[in-house]
Amino acid sequence: MADPAMSVRPYWELAFDADGDVDQGERERLLREVRQCGVGELIVFSHGWNSRRSTATDLYSRFFAPIPRLAPKVGIGYVGVIWPSMEFPDQPVPSFPRSTVAVAGRVAPPALDDETRHALLDTFPGKATVIDQIARMLDQQPAQDAELEEFGRLMRALVEVVPPGPQALFGADTLAEGVPQCEPRMLAVGAAAEVCDQFARALAQLTDPQSPGRVAEFALPNPWSGARELLRQAAYFAMKRRAGTVGERGLGPVVGRLAAVAPEVRVHLVGHSFGGRLVSFALRGLPEGVHTVKSVTLLQGAFSHYAFAARLPDDPRTGGVLQGQQNRVDGPLVCCYSHCDSALGTIYPLASRMADDDRSFTALDIGRVLGDRWGAMGHDGVQAVPGTRSLTLAEALNSPLPASGCVNVDACAVVCHGGAPSGAHSDIVHPELARVVLAAGRIDRPAAAQASPV
């Protein structure tokens, strides 16, 4: 039940595989012990893109640490979700890619280092031959466009899901007339050379803040730097798909089982980055009639700000893949966002455009990607959901949060940069954000005031 490094008790972990199957021993231990420990409030936290269990556990320990002091009279239990995500060792994603953007504005060689190769092997078992070919091409950097197209073929082979595996159904953020797009267009046959070129240009722009929107006149970027970024984004897409799978097929049913054996336990879902996507998809996986999820808190969520929208503003035929799922929460869905999160404000929407736009990629403009169709929830909050409230962090902490519906909380007062290794995107360990979780679930209120009709 308890990790020796964990700062709070009682604490459980739930590990899931890529298809959402849970470690049954861990699940049964939680179901058996949650009542024995007198838990009334259960905070379930999912990490984002991070393949090491120890790093995820460390995040949970640090985030949970102030909670017993903030709510000393409440019987709180804690769950850390562990799912097979991937960390690029040179820089956690989504964030600025240090491997390709080097000091003094020089683009680093795109070769695949041993640590990243091993991370890919762990994340994509059975793909060793494909990964070796990818490493060889990044090392040799052949000049022909045909070789870049071969690199694109290897990307498709790396992230493909073999039917009848469930993951293919979980890659979309929006539904066009009820039909999800399951594969990103940046991996389409014939697109690789142009995509690599555009990624290389975008990365070159990021190294030269004095000249936004253009590349140095006499310094055409190496498209293989863009190929390195295409690898990163292909893996990113695979983890995005996996997060939805684990949420709906894994965590949602576990919460349903918990409701059956301990219906008095109030559940509070918390997710960072892709973990926000995971806990949101868990709402879609709740069995009918389960009302024990009392709050959801998204911390720098790395998925579309239109995910909960019934209709997109620029396309009334298209809605978010999670439209209406906020209504499965018997309480508020709180989205903490920050404009300081440059990872979600630049590379995320750029990659999302390349994944979802069948027009020419040359129309991309780094300066215009903010706030449009491809924006991220962790950068500007839930969008196009009527009735969504918008609050500053101070307002969220000093007055009761709405009892239901979507609530945007501007967290830039604390989510700015700090000492986080990947900048503001990972700068989430703050007592103020722990207080938001408590406020969202009304965990810090007397038991009589917590009760709500089921």
Side-chain angles (χ1 to χ4, degrees), residues 105 107 197 200-201 204-205 207-208 214-222:
V107 177
D197 179 70
R201 289 174 181 271
Q205 290 174 20
T207 67
D208 186 6
R214 67 180 182 86
V215 180
E217 187 174 355
F218 301 108
L220 291 178
N222 178 3

Side-chain angles (χ1 to χ4, degrees), residues 58-206:
D58 178 67
L59 168 65
Y60 301 149
S61 181
R62 291 185 294 119
F63 188 89
F64 290 150
I67 291 180
R69 172 178 52 83
L70 295 170
K73 298 181 179 180
V74 182
I76 303 176
Y78 307 85
V79 173
V81 172
I82 306 295
W83 60 285
S85 58
M86 176 183 171
E87 175 187 67
F88 270 74
D90 55 358
Q91 178 67 28
V93 177
S95 188
F96 287 111
R98 286 184 191 163
S99 62
T100 48
V101 181
V103 179
R106 295 182 60 84
V107 177
L112 195 66
D113 59 276
D114 286 342
E115 196 174 0
T116 301
R117 180 180 175 277
H118 287 305
L120 287 167
L121 288 169
D122 289 342
T123 307
F124 300 102
K127 301 293 180 71
T129 300
V130 172
I131 293 167
D132 286 344
Q133 291 176 297
I134 289 169
R136 186 160 52 250
M137 295 195 78
L138 287 173
D139 183 54
Q140 295 174 353
Q141 302 178 44
Q144 298 86 357
D145 280 359
E147 299 299 331
L148 286 169
E149 294 303 336
E150 171 62 12
F151 187 81
R153 184 192 70 79
L154 293 172
M155 294 301 98
R156 292 190 293 276
L158 178 68
V159 303
E160 69 181 352
V161 175
V162 179
Q167 293 184 56
L169 303 174
F170 292 92
D173 274 355
T174 59
L175 292 165
E177 296 183 334
V179 180
Q181 179 178 317
C182 295
E183 295 296 333
R185 292 192 177 105
M186 66 180 170
L187 297 181
V189 175
E194 190 173 7
V195 170
C196 291
D197 179 70
Q198 288 302 309
F199 269 134
R201 289 174 181 271
L203 294 170
Q205 290 174 20
L206 290 175

Side-chain angles (χ1 to χ4, degrees), residues 44-49 59-60 81 83 94 173 239-240 243-244 246-248 251 269-284 296-304 307-308 322 325 333-336 344 377-378 382 425 428:
V44 181
F45 197 155
S46 175
H47 64 84
W49 189 333
L59 168 65
Y60 301 149
V81 172
W83 60 285
D173 274 355
M239 296 305 102
K240 167 184 173 181
V246 173
E248 182 168 335
L251 183 58
L269 303 179
V270 183
H272 170 237
S273 188
F274 271 160
R277 181 183 180 86
L278 190 154
V279 300
S280 296
F281 270 79
L283 299 174
R284 231 172 55 166
V296 173
T297 305
L298 309 177
L299 305 173
Q300 302 311 112
F303 60 114
S304 172
F308 294 101
L322 295 170
Q325 292 303 316
L333 184 145
V334 177
C335 175
C336 293
L344 295 183
M377 195 164 295
V382 174
H425 183 69
I428 62 163

Side-chain angles (χ1 to χ4, degrees), residues 424-448:
H425 183 69
S426 295
D427 186 21
I428 62 163
V429 180
H430 297 282
E432 293 87 349
L433 296 183
R435 288 176 60 195
V436 170
V437 171
L438 296 177
R442 288 166 164 73
I443 299 175
D444 54 348
R445 303 177 71 183

Side-chain angles (χ1 to χ4, degrees), residues 299-300 335-339 391-393 408-416 427 430 433 436:
L299 305 173
Q300 302 311 112
C335 175
C336 293
Y337 70 92
S338 172
H339 289 297
L391 304 172
T392 65
L393 183 59
N408 288 329
V409 175
D410 185 347
C412 67
V414 294
V415 180
C416 42
D427 186 21
H430 297 282
L433 296 183
V436 170

